Amino acid sequence: MPDERSGDGGQERKPGSKQEQGRRERRQGESDGTGLRQENERLQRRNERLRRENDRLKRKIDHLEKQLAAARRAGYRQAAPFAKDRPQGRGGRPGRRPGAAYGRQACRPRPAQVDEHYSASAPAACPDCGGVVEVTRVATQYQEDLPVVRPLVRRFDIDVGHCSQCRRRVQGRHPLQTSDALGAASAQLGPEVVALVVELHTHLGVPLAKVAHLLRTRFGLTVTPGGLAHVLHRAARDAAPAYTALCEQVRKAPVVTPDETGWRVGGERHWLWVFATPDTTVYAICPGRSFDDALTVLEADFNGVLIRDGWASYRCFDDALHQTCLAHLLRRCKHLRDDHPDSAWAFELEAVLQAGLALRDRRDEGKLTDHGLASVRGRLLARLGRLINAPPPLDDAERFAAHLDTEFAAVFAFLWDPSVDATNWRAEQAIRPAVVTRKVCGGNRTRHGADTQQVLASVVRTAYQRDLDLAPLIATMLRATTNPTVPDEFQRPLAAPHVVADTRSQRPLRYVHHVDGGQRILPEDGTGEKSRGVT
């Protein structure tokens, strides 16, 4: 019999009925809806994060595109290779400032000798009203001018004969002669002209065609550019002993500032090296920029001070004391600040380097005792070590920190010796005339031309440093009666070399990578205390 208690006509309600299944489906739908809402919120958060990252990358791309465009424009504008991005100074109108800020007042002095005298009479009548002019005083004006220059031609009548015993050919030579050549080579240029050509072309970078034009129009000398090239080669041949003497003086100098820049010889890549001291500069054009190329001038056991940039070849001079150029480090700090303005690491590093320069100035002004200098110097080293130890997670910063780690002993070497410069400015200034020449002519066509370039450039630059007149030096070398000689002015340094104290035992040798108790430790820094951060 059907069960009366069932409300469905006696049929039993099964667990899998449609009502129960619908309830389960509704519960499942509610659960799925909650999961979908959570997934939707998660995707929205991810989308917002990606959108912010996309905006950041767009800003970075725009910044890099602007830098690339600026670099390209700078490459096209070769007329001012050393121009600054922004003008320096206080701004305002140009010229002298009024009052106390005017500066040193000076005018062109009156010449001591007068060669010609002229009188300028006043007009008889006033040019405005026609009245009679009365002379009340006589004023004086001087004018210094260049005379009209015409060549001074010397003729040498040379006795030519032979020895009565050995029959060897013998000819006379006057002290003013610069060569024994006769026949087709009997018409030559004198030492004054050669000195002018050397200075115009080698030092000032004037092309030989323009030098020939100047000699023809201003001095009445007709010569071809090819003839001037032969003049330069001959001058370099006679100046080769002087070049060798200058190289030897650089090798023995207590402080040398080297640098190098790109060059071309026959269209192939070469490097122009410069080695500068306070009174001597030597150039060398080499196929590369390796340690072996640096040995063309310096010796491998050079034990003086090298003030140089961060190029790895310089660190191969193991016996030398090193000072790395702070201007290069500050420039890298600026690039980091521009590329990553949100990172404070570059700002802190720049502050440490600037503090080192400020400490040098205070020391040179006599405002610090030896103990005070050592104390502040130790704290600077500790700050630098902490920054090297904790660079931000940026590729540029990590590379810079690794470079500072390698150069650590050479960063503040100038704080131990006042005779050591903080930058390689001396080499940078010596290399600028060569850069101007490179922009004009691109380099040298032959190896012979490169040899001539390095010899004459060294002679001219050293004469400029020693405040010497180039013409007498060239004349001395050209007029040598036998083998080429070294002028007396180039046979020794201008002044006695300064002996640089060897303070390697007092300086931090290397940034140590081992950790002691979680921190790196400095040895004695001269203050009697231990400093944290570096060794």
Side-chain angles (χ1 to χ4, degrees):
M1 292 182 64
D3 189 356
E4 296 179 354
R5 288 173 297 180
S6 64
D8 52 0
Q11 297 180 355
E12 280 186 43
R13 182 165 48 182
K14 298 180 180 180
S17 63
K18 293 182 178 180
Q19 291 85 350
E20 186 66 22
Q21 185 177 359
R23 285 194 294 270
R24 286 198 302 270
E25 290 177 354
R26 284 194 298 273
R27 286 195 298 270
Q28 183 66 29
E30 292 174 357
S31 176
D32 293 341
T34 302
L36 289 175
R37 283 193 298 272
Q38 293 176 352
E39 179 69 13
N40 183 43
E41 292 174 358
R42 185 183 68 81
L43 291 176
Q44 286 181 351
R45 290 194 298 271
R46 181 184 178 186
N47 183 54
E48 180 64 21
R49 186 169 62 253
L50 292 176
R51 186 187 63 81
R52 291 195 300 268
E53 180 68 13
N54 187 39
D55 293 339
R56 186 186 69 82
L57 292 176
K58 285 183 177 179
R59 291 193 298 270
K60 186 173 182 179
I61 290 174
D62 293 339
H63 176 68
L64 293 176
E65 287 179 347
K66 291 179 180 178
Q67 284 188 329
L68 178 60
R72 286 175 174 171
R73 289 194 300 269
Y76 296 148
R77 294 193 298 265
Q78 294 297 322
F82 305 111
K84 302 291 185 181
D85 293 336
R86 298 179 179 86
Q88 304 295 318
R90 297 174 296 176
R93 66 178 183 85
R96 294 284 189 175
R97 302 297 188 270
Y102 179 86
R104 179 174 176 269
Q105 298 185 8
C107 61
R108 186 170 183 84
R110 296 181 179 181
Q113 177 182 351
V114 177
D115 299 307
E116 298 178 354
H117 184 273
Y118 299 94
S119 298
S121 303
C126 176
D128 292 334
C129 65
V132 178
V133 175
E134 297 180 359
V135 177
T136 57
R137 65 187 182 91
V138 177
T140 304
Q141 183 189 82
Y142 298 91
Q143 183 184 86
E144 294 179 289
D145 200 359
L146 293 176
V148 178
V149 180
R150 285 294 175 259
L152 173 63
V153 181
R154 300 186 182 98
R155 172 178 169 172
F156 299 99
D157 295 326
I158 303 170
D159 294 335
V160 180
H162 60 271
C163 178
S164 59
Q165 295 183 6
C166 65
R167 313 302 295 178
R168 179 182 177 181
R169 181 182 181 278
V170 180
Q171 71 178 53
R173 176 160 178 152
H174 192 275
L176 294 179
Q177 283 183 254
T178 59
S179 173
D180 292 329
L182 301 176
S186 60
Q188 301 173 359
L189 297 177
E192 295 286 345
V193 180
V194 175
L196 180 61
V197 173
V198 169
E199 187 163 8
L200 288 176
H201 179 70
T202 306
H203 185 61
L204 301 180
V206 182
L208 291 179
K210 292 185 177 181
V211 175
H213 174 76
L214 177 67
L215 293 177
R216 184 178 67 254
T217 57
R218 294 299 180 188
F219 302 101
L221 284 172
T222 301
V223 60
T224 64
L228 294 180
H230 286 290
V231 167
L232 294 176
H233 290 322
R234 180 169 171 268
R237 182 192 64 201
D238 293 338
Y243 177 75
T244 303
L246 296 179
C247 290
E248 188 64 25
Q249 293 174 24
V250 169
R251 293 188 188 100
K252 296 179 180 179
V255 181
V256 177
T257 307
D259 200 4
E260 75 288 332
T261 187
W263 200 259
R264 293 281 178 179
V265 177
E268 297 182 358
R269 164 73 67 153
H270 278 63
W271 294 89
L272 184 140
W273 291 73
V274 59
F275 301 86
T277 71
D279 59 7
T280 306
T281 297
V282 169
Y283 298 90
I285 299 176
C286 304
R289 59 191 304 212
S290 65
F291 177 63
D292 293 336
D293 296 296
L295 294 181
T296 56
V297 175
L298 295 181
E299 295 179 346
D301 58 350
F302 175 77
N303 60 358
V305 179
L306 280 183
I307 306 174
R308 53 14 174 234
D309 55 23
W311 184 239
S313 298
Y314 298 122
R315 292 195 288 270
C316 296
F317 290 95
D318 297 329
D319 297 335
L321 298 173
H322 293 264
Q323 169 61 55
T324 190
C325 178
L326 255 66
H328 287 73
L329 301 182
L330 290 171
R331 195 174 302 122
R332 290 187 67 171
C333 289
K334 179 180 182 300
H335 293 163
L336 271 176
R337 290 192 290 105
D338 294 341
D339 295 340
H340 308 283
D342 297 333
S343 176
W345 187 80
F347 292 88
E348 297 175 2
L349 180 58
E350 182 181 23
V352 171
L353 299 178
Q354 293 287 3
L357 296 176
L359 179 61
R360 174 205 60 185
D361 296 339
R362 292 173 60 194
R363 177 202 63 190
D364 295 344
E365 294 171 359
K367 297 180 179 180
L368 287 173
T369 63
D370 293 341
H371 177 81
L373 174 63
S375 177
V376 180
R377 188 173 58 206
R379 289 196 293 270
L380 279 179
L381 291 171
R383 290 173 61 188
L384 179 61
R386 286 191 291 269
L387 289 172
I388 295 176
N389 189 36
L394 301 171
D395 292 341
D396 295 339
E398 291 175 351
R399 282 194 297 269
F400 194 13
H403 176 74
L404 290 172
D405 182 12
T406 304
E407 293 283 305
F408 183 78
V411 174
F412 289 133
F414 64 94
L415 294 179
W416 271 265
D417 193 331
S419 66
V420 177
D421 295 322
T423 67
N424 68 337
W425 66 270
R426 199 180 301 278
E428 295 283 353
Q429 288 192 0
I431 217 167
R432 285 190 176 187
V435 172
V436 173
T437 302
R438 183 187 63 196
K439 291 183 178 299
V440 173
C441 62
N444 302 110
R445 293 185 179 181
T446 62
R447 181 65 243 183
H448 186 28
D451 295 337
T452 297
Q453 180 77 28
Q454 66 186 18
V455 170
L456 294 181
S458 302
V459 170
V460 173
R461 180 68 184 180
T462 302
Y464 173 79
Q465 287 179 274
R466 301 185 182 187
D467 196 21
L468 300 174
D469 189 359
L470 185 62
L473 296 175
I474 296 292
T476 300
M477 292 182 286
L478 293 180
R479 289 171 175 166
T481 56
T482 56
N483 296 327
T485 60
V486 180
D488 294 337
E489 296 84 351
F490 282 174
Q491 292 185 5
R492 62 191 60 85
L494 187 62
H498 169 75
V499 178
V500 179
D502 191 345
T503 57
R504 271 173 284 200
S505 60
Q506 307 172 21
R507 304 185 188 187
L509 298 179
R510 177 94 176 147
Y511 191 79
V512 177
H513 293 276
H514 66 269
V515 177
D516 182 8
Q519 291 186 349
R520 304 173 185 192
I521 299 179
L522 252 178
E524 296 292 337
D525 61 1
T527 63
E529 301 177 355
K530 298 283 187 178
S531 298
R532 312 294 289 183
V534 292
T535 187

